[in-house]
Amino acid sequence: MSNFLPNELINRLREDSHFDTNAFIDTHERGDRVTSIRLNPEKLGDRAFSNAEPVSWCDHAFYLDERPVFTLDPLYHAGCYYVQEASSMFLGHIIEKLGLKDSQSRALDLCAAPGGKSTLISSYLGLDSLLVSNEVIKSRANILVENLTRWGTHHVIVTNNDPGAFSRLPGYFDLMVVDAPCSGSGMFRKDPDAIDEWSLANVKLCSDRQKRILAESLATLATGGYLIYSTCSYSIEENEDILDWIMSTYEFESVQIPTDAAWGIEETRSAQKQAFGYRFYPHNVKGEGFFVSVLKKLDHQETFNRKRAKPEKSNVPKQVLQDWLSSTSDIHAFLHNENIHVFPSSYEADLKWIQQVLYIRNAGTNIGKWTGRELIPSQDLALSILIKPDLPAQQVSLAVAQDYLRKENLSRTDFEGENGWSLVQYNGVNLGWVKLLPNRVNNYYPKESRIMNL
Ligand code: SAM
C-alpha cells in the first residue's frame, strides 16, 4: 500500500472490484506531470499547435510536452489560451452531446473562479448565449473577472453572490454548472501537499456543503434545464451519493453521455437511483482525478414575471462605438461609473432582471472611460474580440512585449507609429495600449496585471 495516500481513501476506492489500486498508487508515486491548454478559438487558430497531441474530448485543446513558464508568454496574457487540466475539459464534450453547442442558452456557472470552466462554456455556447459566471468569495471573483476579461467575450456577466441569491431568479437558466468545492483528492498527483489536509471528516463536511449549495440554488434552473455537477474528488459521498440525494429530493433524471472506450473514462452508476457518473482516474486517462455527471430537471419550476421594459435609448454616442468596435450590430452600450460597457442587445432585458437581484461585478466588456468628448480605451477593449481590427498598432519583439507586460519604460525607437494611442501586438495579437508621444512612450498596461519577479 502507498505510504502517503490516505488509507481510508484507498480502502474505499478498493470496494469497486474494477479499481486498479496498484496502478492508481504507482501513478501518484511517479508524480507524472500532464500539462494541457485550451485555445481561445476567437483569438488563436489551432495551426500553432498542429504537432501537439489533442485532448480527445475537447475542441482546440492540446497537451504540451513540457510545461513552459506561462507567465513569460505574451500570448498567455493576451487570453489566447487557458492552462486547464485536461479531464475537466470533458465539459466541452458534454455541452456538445446535450446539443447546446453554439446555442442560444442562458447558462450559470455557479462556483466559477478562477474561470477555467467559464472560459470553456463561453467558447462552447458561443456568442448568442448568455453566461452568468458567479463566485461567492470576493477576492476570487476579482481573478474570475480578470480571466474572463482576457478571454475577451462580451456575452458574460460576472456576479459575486452566495448560491442562495440565485433562488431570486427562479426557472431562469437552461444550463447550470456546479463545479463544487470539494475535498480535492483528484488533485493529489499534481499537488501532493493537499494530501495532508484530506480526512474523512472533511469529505463529510464537503458533502454537506455540496448539498447545501445545490438546495439553495436549484430553483434557478428551468424545467427541462440541465445541471452539470462536478468535483475533483474521488469520494462517493461527494459524487454518486450527491446524485442520489438530488434525485430523491427533487424530480431529476440522469443523462447518459456517450464516451469513447479508448479515452479511459469510467462510467459509474449511483447506488440508489442508478444515475450515470463519469470518473477520471489519472492511471486511466491523460489528466487528473475528476468526476462529472448530468441531470435533467423534470420538476415543474415556477418562474418570475419577465416584464420587458422598453429598451432605453443609449446615452453613448454611436460614433464612439463605430470608432473602436469591429461591429455595432447586436450591441447594447451603456455608461456605468463613466465607463462604457458593451453587451449583447438580445440580453438587455436579462441584464436588468439580473441587476435587480444579484451583485454584479462586471457586465459585458468595459471598453473605456468616456470623458464626454473622447474615449480613453481600456485594457479590456484591447483584449476584446470586438475591437476594431485596423486601429493603430505596433508589432513588438518578445523582449519588448515582456518589458511592456512588466510595465517598464519603453523606448520610442521601438515604436514607429504616429503619436497617439497604439495597440501593442505580439504575433499579431493585442497585449494592451501605449500612448506614443514625440520623445516618449507611455505604458498603459494595468499595474495590477503586470509580471513581477520574472
Ligand atoms: N469552476 C472553477 C474552474 O473551473 O476554474 C473551479 C471552481 S472550484 C472547484 C470551487 C469554487 O467554489 C471555488 O472558487 C470556491 O471559492 C467556491 N466556493 C467555496 N465555497 C463555496 C460555497 N459555500 N458556495 C459556493 N461556492 C463556493
Side-chain angles (χ1 to χ4, degrees):
M1 178 146 316
S2 157
N3 57 8
F4 70 99
L5 288 168
N7 287 340
E8 286 152 321
L9 176 70
I10 301 282
N11 289 339
R12 188 83 165 95
L13 288 171
R14 268 191 165 152
E15 287 171 17
D16 171 2
S17 57
H18 303 295
F19 186 72
D20 188 341
T21 313
N22 291 335
F24 180 76
I25 292 172
D26 280 354
T27 192
H28 283 84
E29 283 180 340
R30 280 199 314 274
D32 301 336
R33 295 293 295 259
V34 179
T35 301
S36 46
I37 61 172
R38 184 171 38 76
L39 307 186
N40 186 338
E42 301 283 348
K43 295 198 179 187
L44 202 63
D46 288 0
R47 253 178 318 119
F49 290 88
S50 52
N51 293 327
E53 182 190 347
V55 176
S56 309
W57 45 81
C58 187
D59 292 346
H60 314 297
F62 300 92
Y63 295 103
L64 303 184
D65 290 338
E66 284 173 1
R67 193 176 178 87
V69 181
F70 289 111
T71 313
L72 289 177
D73 181 5
L75 298 183
Y76 167 77
H77 297 274
C80 289
Y81 58 85
Y82 193 96
V83 184
Q84 186 174 33
E85 192 286 296
S87 302
S88 58
M89 296 182 193
F90 188 68
L91 184 59
H93 177 74
I94 293 178
I95 291 175
E96 184 163 359
K97 290 294 165 202
L98 294 179
L100 297 177
K101 198 170 174 203
D102 296 318
S103 60
Q104 289 187 345
S105 308
R106 293 176 170 90
L108 168 64
D109 187 4
L110 185 66
C111 310
K117 305 230 175 23
S118 278
T119 54
L120 184 151
I121 298 165
S122 164
S123 297
Y124 260 80
L125 293 184
L127 298 175
D128 291 335
S129 288
L130 173 68
L131 170 63
V132 175
S133 186
N134 179 69
E135 169 57 42
V136 64
I137 298 173
K138 199 172 165 198
S139 57
R140 289 176 62 81
N142 294 341
I143 299 161
L144 180 62
V145 170
E146 211 173 288
N147 281 329
L148 283 164
T149 301
R150 273 192 197 145
W151 209 243
T153 46
H154 55 288
H155 63 144
V156 183
I157 299 175
V158 178
T159 58
N160 174 208
N161 286 267
D162 198 76
F166 285 87
S167 62
R168 300 177 208 142
L169 282 176
Y172 177 68
F173 290 102
D174 309 304
L175 171 68
M176 177 172 170
V177 176
V178 178
D179 187 31
C182 68
S183 61
S185 43
M187 292 295 136
F188 282 173
R189 183 173 69 163
K190 210 170 141 188
D191 177 17
D193 290 345
I195 297 172
D196 295 338
E197 282 154 39
W198 190 91
S199 67
L200 274 182
N202 192 36
V203 168
K204 167 84 174 76
L205 199 126
C206 289
S207 162
D208 290 344
R209 183 168 54 198
Q210 287 146 1
K211 288 179 196 161
R212 212 165 46 239
I213 289 172
L214 290 160
E216 288 175 358
S217 61
L218 279 179
T220 200
L221 191 61
T223 306
Y226 293 105
L227 165 70
I228 301 180
Y229 174 80
S230 62
T231 71
C232 61
S233 161
Y234 297 117
S235 296
I236 292 165
E237 296 84 340
E238 299 180 69
N239 297 327
E240 288 86 350
D241 287 359
I242 297 288
L243 306 182
D244 276 342
W245 173 80
I246 297 173
M247 289 179 73
S248 37
T249 315
Y250 311 92
E251 290 278 311
F252 274 83
E253 74 181 9
S254 168
V255 180
Q256 187 173 20
I257 302 294
T259 59
D260 186 328
W263 296 350
I265 301 164
E266 191 185 322
E267 184 178 276
T268 62
R269 308 295 295 267
S270 66
Q272 269 179 44
K273 300 283 181 181
Q274 296 291 296
F276 296 100
Y278 298 88
R279 282 184 168 256
F280 294 67
Y281 287 115
H283 57 282
N284 290 335
V285 300
K286 200 165 173 184
E288 302 310 313
F290 184 58
F291 174 86
V292 64
S293 56
V294 185
L295 298 177
K296 183 173 183 177
K297 184 164 176 173
L298 304 177
D299 273 317
H300 171 71
Q301 176 64 58
E302 295 293 333
T303 185
F304 58 99
N305 181 6
R306 301 183 195 199
K307 240 189 10 223
R308 272 182 189 272
K310 226 170 88 201
E312 278 169 30
K313 198 168 171 315
S314 175
N315 45 8
V316 176
K318 217 167 178 160
Q319 189 59 47
V320 181
L321 305 180
Q322 284 167 353
D323 287 348
W324 295 92
L325 304 182
S326 56
S327 157
T328 54
S329 64
D330 192 29
I331 291 295
H332 164 57
F334 60 94
L335 268 172
H336 179 70
N337 295 340
E338 298 181 340
N339 290 306
I340 299 177
H341 287 246
V342 293
F343 186 75
S345 45
S346 35
Y347 291 107
E348 192 182 334
D350 295 64
L351 179 57
K352 290 237 157 58
W353 301 327
I354 292 171
Q355 215 163 20
Q356 280 163 14
V357 294
L358 297 176
Y359 176 64
I360 294 184
R361 273 288 283 105
N362 192 49
T365 300
N366 166 3
I367 64 167
K369 191 169 170 155
W370 175 240
T371 65
R373 274 186 311 116
E374 59 166 348
L375 182 83
I376 317 274
S378 66
Q379 175 66 13
D380 303 13
L381 174 62
L383 301 184
S384 167
I385 61 167
L386 277 179
I387 191 167
K388 204 170 182 168
D390 51 1
L391 295 171
Q394 174 76 50
Q395 292 292 327
V396 297
S397 65
L398 177 61
V400 174
Q402 289 172 340
D403 281 350
Y404 173 70
L405 296 168
R406 292 188 183 104
K407 204 171 168 60
E408 287 186 356
N409 291 332
L410 302 168
S411 162
R412 185 66 174 87
T413 53
D414 285 324
F415 292 82
E416 290 159 359
E418 287 177 23
N419 293 336
W421 289 111
S422 172
L423 286 158
V424 180
Q425 293 186 336
Y426 175 73
N427 270 358
V429 182
N430 295 335
L431 301 181
W433 299 99
V434 285
K435 200 161 196 185
L436 302 179
L437 302 168
N439 305 311
R440 228 186 42 241
V441 178
N442 283 351
N443 184 339
Y444 275 81
Y445 196 65
K447 202 163 68 190
E448 61 281 7
S449 309
R450 72 187 190 278
I451 302 177
M452 295 204 288
N453 310 325
L454 267 178

